[in-house]
Amino acid sequence: MSEAERFDVAIVGYGPTSMTLAALLGRDGHRVVVLERYAGLYNLPRAACFDDEIMRTFQKLGLAEAVGRDAVVQRDYEWINAAGETLVEIEYADPAPCGWAQLYMMFQPFVEEILDRHDKALPTVQVRQGVTVTGFAPQADGVLLHAAAADGAPVAIQARYVVGADGGNGATRRLVSPEVEDYGFQENWLVCDFRLRRTVPGLPAFRQVCDPAQPTSIVTIGRGHHRFSFMLNPGETQEEATRPERVWARVARYITPEDAELIRVANYVFRSRIAARWRQGRVLLAGDAAHEMPPFLAQGMCSGIRDGHNLAWKLDLLLTGRAEDSLLDTYQPEREPHVRFITEKAIELGRVQTIRDPARARERDERLLAQRRAKQAPEKIRFPPLRGGLVAGHGGLFPQGRVRAGDRQGLFDDVVGHGWRLVTADPGMAGGLPPELRAFWASIGGTVVPITPGPAAEGVEDLDGVYGDWFAANGCSGAIVRPDWYVYGTAGNGGELAAALAQLARALRPAGTLVPS
């Protein structure tokens, strides 16, 4: 075998999690190799939608406009019963806290093609398809990956860090964490995707049919595509369920072959599993390799991209010598509780939506209809803030509103840039920081962003009051915002700010050096 090629990061798998992570690392100039066992892109949809935080991530990569061309902003989501009565109607914000619509419906191959072209155009990123990883061995300064090319030729890769994002059945989960926690919630579904030939009047955009005889999900998946998912009946075989004539019979009340082309039929068992360990030395798991969840909150792809974003800026600090390896100890403590909340909430919703017993379904219907008659709005699901890890006391997402700085006006991230940000409603708050803390802040790429309610010679004008409202709601005048927009901590005055920055410095550099040599 020839000498191993050397990279900063090797990523195993090439789905949305890997594509986004490679793009973020490549954006920072790191040498990245992606190893994917399949020779090409999957080119069939799996995920159906993404949220404002993920669109903000695409914005960071300069891809929001391209992704948005095919995505459909979804305004609401309805549940109906077997009689067609509306049980629940959920409305989605536009804009949502991250500055984009709360929910976008997408055709996944379209999004993956955009990410694929972007990754392959980056000078420091190599995407190698048709390469299967077979194992890895820890080294003093990294990891040696063993793989095989499509023709069987051995491939050796030396990387400082490895991220396995090759799915729940991929090699890296088996190697890093053969132990998984299974919630025991799994359901057998038929997923049918269609390419529309014409506009179909009355076709539901986003509907859950809570019919005990046939629970059904109907979803727009980008422009010109639609998905119908059916919970299979006990004893119904895959061979029987996937026959085209059986599929058309199931969707006949909505569409016909004159309306649409059937492009994909898949029998899926939705699982709910979380790996016990997301890190083994310099090898980490992300996306479905770390966690699998049912689709009832449509957060599987979103959660994987959040994993990738969380890892990207931490790996950047490590690869540039601005933090110590212990920073990676914060990854699972931050991400796992977030994933567990979503998984457990998705299971809870799935159990309500897919009741098969007619008597229990009637009880559910009566309860939800009574709530609608009483004008009780459905509970809004709010994801929890990060706790533990690299968080000093807030952990929520920092919003993105419209701002103006000089002659530049637009969304906050586009105007002020990315990285560590100290956003203050008090222009003088950072002025009294001691020199060593100012030097530390500069060393991690931190900048200070004063926010003002009106035009100012210096600082950023809060055009819609988003930041004034946020500071008032949180009882502070300063926020230390991480590169993934989660708030490390808040401060009400200069002393509290200095204490929070000193705590951050100790967390990133336990050895005690505020500024790397």
Side-chain angles (χ1 to χ4, degrees):
M1 181 184 298
S2 59
E3 184 178 350
E5 297 179 79
R6 294 183 175 272
F7 294 88
D8 294 322
V9 179
I11 304 172
V12 184
Y14 195 48
T17 300
S18 305
M19 291 173 164
T20 304
L21 175 58
L24 290 166
L25 290 170
R27 175 180 173 275
D28 290 330
H30 300 299
R31 293 170 296 122
V32 178
V33 64
V34 182
L35 305 175
E36 165 58 52
R37 58 178 173 157
Y38 294 112
L41 299 179
Y42 187 62
N43 283 328
L44 288 172
R46 285 90 69 207
C49 52
F50 60 89
D51 61 21
D52 57 312
E53 183 182 354
I54 303 310
M55 186 57 116
R56 191 176 183 180
T57 309
F58 294 147
Q59 174 195 352
K60 186 175 189 175
L61 296 172
L63 301 176
E65 182 179 354
V67 170
R69 290 193 193 106
D70 187 72
V72 176
V73 174
Q74 186 60 41
R75 306 294 182 186
D76 55 16
Y77 173 34
E78 66 171 348
W79 303 9
I80 66 170
N81 62 12
E85 298 173 294
T86 299
L87 302 176
V88 174
E89 190 168 15
I90 299 168
E91 296 181 351
Y92 296 110
D94 182 13
C98 280
W100 297 92
Q102 188 175 357
L103 191 66
Y104 292 87
M105 316 310 283
M106 68 161 184
F107 187 62
Q108 186 172 342
F110 180 85
V111 175
E112 289 187 348
E113 287 173 9
I114 291 170
L115 288 166
D116 177 57
R117 287 196 301 270
H118 179 79
D119 285 358
K120 289 175 178 175
L122 291 169
T124 62
V125 174
Q126 295 185 28
V127 178
R128 300 188 184 178
Q129 292 160 292
V131 177
T132 301
V133 172
T134 56
F136 63 82
Q139 306 288 301
D141 59 349
V143 182
L144 178 63
L145 275 173
H146 301 287
D151 61 1
V155 175
I157 299 291
Q158 178 83 28
R160 291 176 64 183
Y161 298 93
V162 173
V163 179
D166 48 343
N169 296 316
T172 47
R173 176 191 275 186
R174 294 195 301 273
L175 294 167
V176 171
S177 183
E179 307 84 15
V180 298
E181 180 181 342
D182 194 326
Y183 278 88
F185 180 81
Q186 57 184 51
E187 291 184 343
N188 197 16
W189 282 72
L190 183 73
V191 180
C192 313
D193 292 334
F194 297 84
R195 180 179 292 111
L196 299 179
R197 304 182 194 275
R198 60 190 182 188
T199 300
V200 181
L203 183 61
F206 196 14
R207 174 181 290 176
Q208 189 71 34
V209 183
C210 304
D211 181 355
Q214 179 66 92
T216 304
S217 178
I218 306 171
V219 183
T220 299
I221 49 172
R223 301 186 189 280
H225 293 86
H226 231 75
R227 170 173 296 167
F228 292 80
S229 301
F230 303 94
M231 188 177 184
L232 293 184
N233 297 316
E236 191 171 7
T237 66
Q238 178 178 355
E239 181 181 8
E240 175 188 5
T242 57
R243 291 203 309 265
E245 61 270 23
R246 178 66 178 139
V247 172
W248 283 111
R250 276 191 152 111
V251 302
R253 64 179 292 192
Y254 299 102
I255 56 173
T256 68
E258 288 71 38
D259 297 320
E261 173 192 359
L262 178 62
I263 61 173
R264 172 179 178 252
V265 182
N267 179 200
Y268 275 137
V269 176
F270 299 138
R271 303 188 186 278
S272 310
R273 303 187 297 187
I274 298 179
R277 180 170 59 182
W278 296 18
R279 179 190 177 199
Q280 181 178 321
R282 291 174 176 243
V283 182
L284 302 110
L285 300 179
D288 285 359
H291 44 77
E292 298 167 89
M293 61 185 65
F296 300 106
L297 274 180
Q299 281 287 314
M301 186 188 85
C302 296
S303 294
I305 290 177
R306 287 189 193 98
D307 292 346
H309 200 183
N310 186 292
L311 283 173
W313 65 267
K314 292 176 180 176
L315 289 170
D316 175 59
L317 287 176
L318 293 171
L319 291 167
T320 53
R322 295 178 293 169
E324 298 176 21
D325 263 10
S326 57
L327 177 59
L328 292 179
D329 292 337
T330 67
Y331 169 55
Q332 186 172 354
E334 288 179 2
R335 291 293 305 130
E336 184 180 351
H338 202 268
V339 164
R340 283 190 180 277
F341 173 88
I342 293 172
T343 301
E344 291 166 7
K345 185 61 71 172
I347 291 171
E348 177 186 326
L349 292 180
R351 285 178 171 150
V352 173
Q353 293 173 343
T354 62
I355 294 172
R356 302 305 297 262
D357 177 74
R360 290 181 57 228
R362 281 194 299 274
E363 292 174 0
R364 173 203 60 203
D365 294 355
E366 290 168 3
R367 173 172 52 83
L368 294 176
L369 288 169
Q371 290 175 358
R372 276 184 65 80
R373 286 192 296 269
K375 301 189 182 303
Q376 294 180 18
E379 176 192 3
K380 288 190 179 294
I381 297 173
R382 292 180 172 85
F383 298 156
L386 301 186
R387 292 286 183 259
L390 195 66
V391 175
H394 189 281
L397 266 173
F398 193 69
Q400 178 175 220
R402 294 188 315 120
V403 297
R404 179 188 293 121
D407 59 356
R408 296 195 64 197
Q409 177 176 318
L411 290 172
F412 181 89
D413 296 350
D414 290 336
V415 173
V416 307
H418 300 280
W420 287 92
R421 298 289 174 259
L422 169 56
V423 186
T424 70
D426 176 359
M429 175 177 276
L433 289 173
E436 64 271 19
L437 285 178
R438 290 201 299 271
F440 159 72
W441 185 241
S443 76
I444 61 172
T447 59
V448 179
V449 183
I451 288 276
T452 63
E458 294 185 9
V460 173
E461 181 184 355
D462 182 6
L463 292 176
D464 300 316
V466 168
Y467 298 101
D469 291 347
W470 189 89
F471 283 117
N474 287 275
C476 63
S477 52
I480 302 170
V481 183
R482 307 185 332 174
D484 57 1
W485 315 304
Y486 285 86
V487 178
Y488 169 76
T490 60
N493 54 53
E496 292 177 2
L497 175 62
L501 285 176
Q503 185 176 346
L504 175 60
R506 290 192 296 271
L508 291 179
R509 297 170 193 153
T513 303
L514 281 180
V515 182
S517 57

